[in-house]
């Protein structure tokens, strides 16, 4: 299928540091790359990425995934882990022309979370901004974090796409707050976690309300092996 310059295939995926749940301690980064390549994704937001950590064989998973997919990349650290890092990753087939990282607010002590934003130049010259995050497990922190994200997107006039594991269900307060600024798919959305018999919809692809777009596709990919989450794919056409 030929994707026009104004059509973008977007994937979000919590990869569990490339450890398949059925194989404790085993790392299979090639399986994660296969999911991305098979999806023919243009832009990917990935959560739970290790860099130089013993549990994942001291791999630089950001760099290796970029090599295995042939994509440009930007890694955003959440925390220091051992002598390495743990955080999120954005991959893009198209040129990344800007990149920024912000620490998200954390009123209750917890693991630090970040918001990574890249500006991507599409082949037709259009520039879109893509944000990737992994929100905290604690509700009080999530509420502060989504309010911060809303304030951030308010500064953008171009299309702004939010990807990530938001650790929040569709009827929760954090998602309701995000819906003040973002549009989410409510027609073909499905649970993404756990990987077998999924029951929790906590991974999302949302667009800022100022984006003129239409959903061509929004689907959960049935790939049970590679991670404890299922990948979520959207195909979006911008006007």
């Amino acid at each position: 299928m030929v994707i026009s310059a104004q059509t973008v295939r977007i994937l979000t995926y919590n990869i569990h540091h490339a450890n398949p749940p059925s194989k404790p301690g085993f790392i299979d980064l090639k399986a994660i790359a296969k999911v991305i390549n098979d999806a023919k994704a243009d832009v990917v937001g990935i959560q739970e990425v290790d860099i130089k950590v013993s549990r994942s064989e001291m791999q630089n998973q950001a760099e290796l995934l970029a090599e295995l997919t042939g994509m440009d990349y930007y890694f955003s650290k959440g925390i220091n882990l051992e002598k390495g890092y743990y955080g999120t990753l954005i991959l893009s087939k198209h040129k990344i022309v800007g990149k920024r990282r912000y620490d998200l607010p954390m009123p209750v002590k917890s693991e630090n979370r970040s918001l990574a934003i890249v500006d991507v130049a599409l082949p037709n010259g259009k520039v879109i901004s893509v944000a990737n995050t992994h929100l905290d497990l604690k509700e009080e922190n999530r509420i502060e974090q989504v309010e911060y994200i809303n304030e951030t997107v308010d500064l953008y006039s171009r299309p702004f796409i939010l990807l990530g594991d938001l650790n929040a269900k569709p009827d929760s307060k954090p998602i309701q707050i995000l819906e003040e600024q973002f549009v989410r798919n409510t027609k073909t959305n499905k649970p993404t976690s756990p990987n077998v018999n999924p029951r929790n919809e906590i991974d999302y692809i949302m667009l800022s309300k100022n984006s003129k777009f239409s959903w061509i596709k929004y689907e959960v990919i049935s790939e049970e092996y590679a991670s404890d989450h299922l990948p979520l794919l959207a195909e979006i056409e911008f006007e």
Side-chain angles (χ1 to χ4, degrees), residues 27-41:
I27 299 301
D28 195 345
L29 205 62
K30 288 183 178 179
I32 300 296
K34 185 177 186 303
V35 172
I36 296 168
N37 291 329
D38 287 352
K40 297 181 173 59

Side-chain angles (χ1 to χ4, degrees), residues 1-12 33 35-46 65-66 69-74 89-96 118-124 128 130 161 163 205 216-217 221 232-238:
M1 179 177 180
V2 177
I3 305 300
S4 71
Q6 291 181 303
T7 300
V8 184
R9 292 173 68 88
I10 299 170
L11 188 77
T12 184
V35 172
I36 296 168
N37 291 329
D38 287 352
K40 297 181 173 59
D42 296 300
V43 182
V44 187
I46 302 177
L65 280 172
T69 59
M71 301 171 89
D72 198 0
Y73 78 99
Y74 178 54
L89 172 68
I90 300 176
L91 299 171
S92 177
K93 278 186 179 177
H94 308 303
K95 186 176 181 181
I96 294 175
V118 300
D119 306 317
V120 175
L122 301 181
N124 69 339
I128 60 173
V130 181
I161 305 167
L163 315 176
I205 298 170
I216 297 175
K217 180 181 293 186
I221 298 173
L232 174 65
L233 175 69
E235 189 172 328
I236 296 165
E237 184 173 53
F238 293 99

Side-chain angles (χ1 to χ4, degrees), residues 139 142 166-180 182 184-193 199-206 218 232:
E139 179 82 349
R142 285 199 299 273
L166 304 186
N167 274 317
K169 295 182 180 180
D171 59 353
S172 66
K173 186 172 181 180
I175 300 303
Q176 292 171 1
I177 293 170
L178 284 173
E179 287 178 324
E180 296 171 6
F182 291 91
R184 67 181 181 87
N185 185 292
T186 58
K187 293 183 179 179
T188 57
N189 55 317
K190 292 181 179 179
T192 52
S193 171
R199 58 186 178 275
N200 303 311
E201 184 184 351
I202 55 176
D203 299 280
Y204 297 86
I205 298 170
M206 300 184 182
Y218 191 96
L232 174 65

